Amino acid sequence: MSMKPLEFDRRYGELDQVISAYVGMPADDEPDRPSEALRAYLRHTWHTRPWALAMAERQIREYARNPPGRLRLSLGEFYAVPDVGLPESAIQNWLFVIADHLQRSIEEGEVPPPAGPRTHWEWHARFPEVGQFLGGWFSQDMPDEFPDHDAAVRDYATSTNPQLVARLKGELQELLALDLEESDYTLAMAELGMEIDPPRPYSPSGWLAQLLEGLGGFKADYGPGSVTS
């Protein structure tokens, strides 16, 4: 019997958020140096959910002190730490190192300065609706589903809840405010799920700016903005 969602979140919810930040990243934390994955988690969480840091520290330290025994393993009521490239014998100490870094960051008020995302997890944590939009409407299958980029944008804008469209516009403004090099915008869009090039003659940032401007001209096919006969 697997653990119910509410109980899972109480015990492991923020622990899972931290471990998710390590997907595709090395778990190379040292007592005197947090990994790039943990720095990404700290950077994002300090600026969005600072209260969650203490929860993460408690859940990680408690899990490390009390790893699941045979009964919890047999019942399925435990958190299975995914493969992070470490031998199983090293996981417990690694978790204590992470918890110590979190505790130090909280107690010393080490708030990372605002910066652009640097990991795949951080891109999606910071720009979830951009990721949903680019990954859902601009995958490699887009040319088979829509005649052009504008048609794909129109389909998103007219089939998506207006509040989510507004969220996308806000995230696009924030993404453009990073003022990245064009090569970095290309990387960002790829990290967020875009698998085709922007339409000609636009650069990556130019298309994002044009997209932001154009989204205001669409009305959803349902809800307050829809037209009824």
Side-chain angles (χ1 to χ4, degrees):
M1 180 179 65
S2 60
M3 187 176 296
K4 293 181 179 180
L6 181 59
E7 185 63 22
F8 179 90
D9 284 346
R10 284 173 174 168
R11 292 188 185 182
Y12 311 124
E14 201 58 31
L15 160 64
D16 185 54
Q17 286 291 312
V18 177
I19 301 302
S20 295
Y22 284 83
V23 174
M25 300 291 293
D28 55 356
D29 303 88
E30 298 291 345
D32 61 343
R33 181 188 60 79
S35 65
E36 184 65 34
L38 186 57
R39 285 197 293 269
Y41 171 82
L42 286 166
R43 186 164 48 243
H44 178 72
T45 308
W46 262 115
H47 291 282
T48 58
R49 302 181 304 128
W51 50 265
L53 294 165
M55 187 183 304
E57 188 272 340
R58 177 182 58 80
Q59 290 183 358
I60 292 171
R61 198 176 299 281
E62 188 171 312
Y63 185 92
R65 286 172 176 163
N66 302 286
R70 291 182 180 179
L71 178 60
R72 287 163 64 193
L73 289 172
S74 65
L75 293 175
E77 296 186 350
F78 70 101
Y79 178 76
V81 177
D83 184 7
V84 292
L86 296 175
E88 187 174 350
S89 60
I91 294 294
Q92 185 178 38
N93 184 65
W94 171 64
L95 291 173
F96 278 127
V97 170
I98 292 176
D100 289 344
H101 280 302
L102 290 169
Q103 180 179 353
R104 186 178 306 114
S105 180
I106 296 166
E107 291 181 344
E108 298 181 8
E110 296 178 354
V111 182
R118 297 174 188 172
T119 71
H120 180 77
W121 175 88
E122 192 177 8
W123 279 111
H124 282 268
R126 185 163 174 180
F127 300 106
E129 192 59 31
V130 177
Q132 180 70 21
F133 169 68
L134 294 180
W137 276 262
F138 291 93
S139 70
Q140 60 185 353
D141 297 327
M142 174 262 176
D144 298 325
E145 298 176 358
F146 303 103
D148 54 30
H149 291 66
D150 288 343
V153 174
R154 187 178 305 109
D155 182 76
Y156 167 84
T158 58
S159 64
T160 302
N161 188 290
Q163 295 182 48
L164 296 179
V165 177
R167 186 176 301 168
L168 173 65
K169 293 169 66 176
E171 290 183 12
L172 288 173
Q173 288 182 317
E174 184 177 351
L175 182 54
L176 288 167
L178 295 177
D179 197 23
L180 305 174
E181 299 289 338
E182 288 302 328
S183 59
D184 292 326
Y185 274 115
T186 299
L187 174 62
M189 292 162 70
E191 290 279 9
L192 290 166
M194 190 165 183
E195 297 178 339
I196 61 172
D197 293 330
R200 294 180 179 179
Y202 293 105
S203 65
S205 66
W207 182 65
L208 292 175
Q210 188 270 339
L211 174 65
L212 176 59
E213 182 178 354
L215 280 171
F218 294 107
K219 295 293 184 181
D221 290 338
Y222 63 92
S226 62
V227 177
T228 58
S229 57

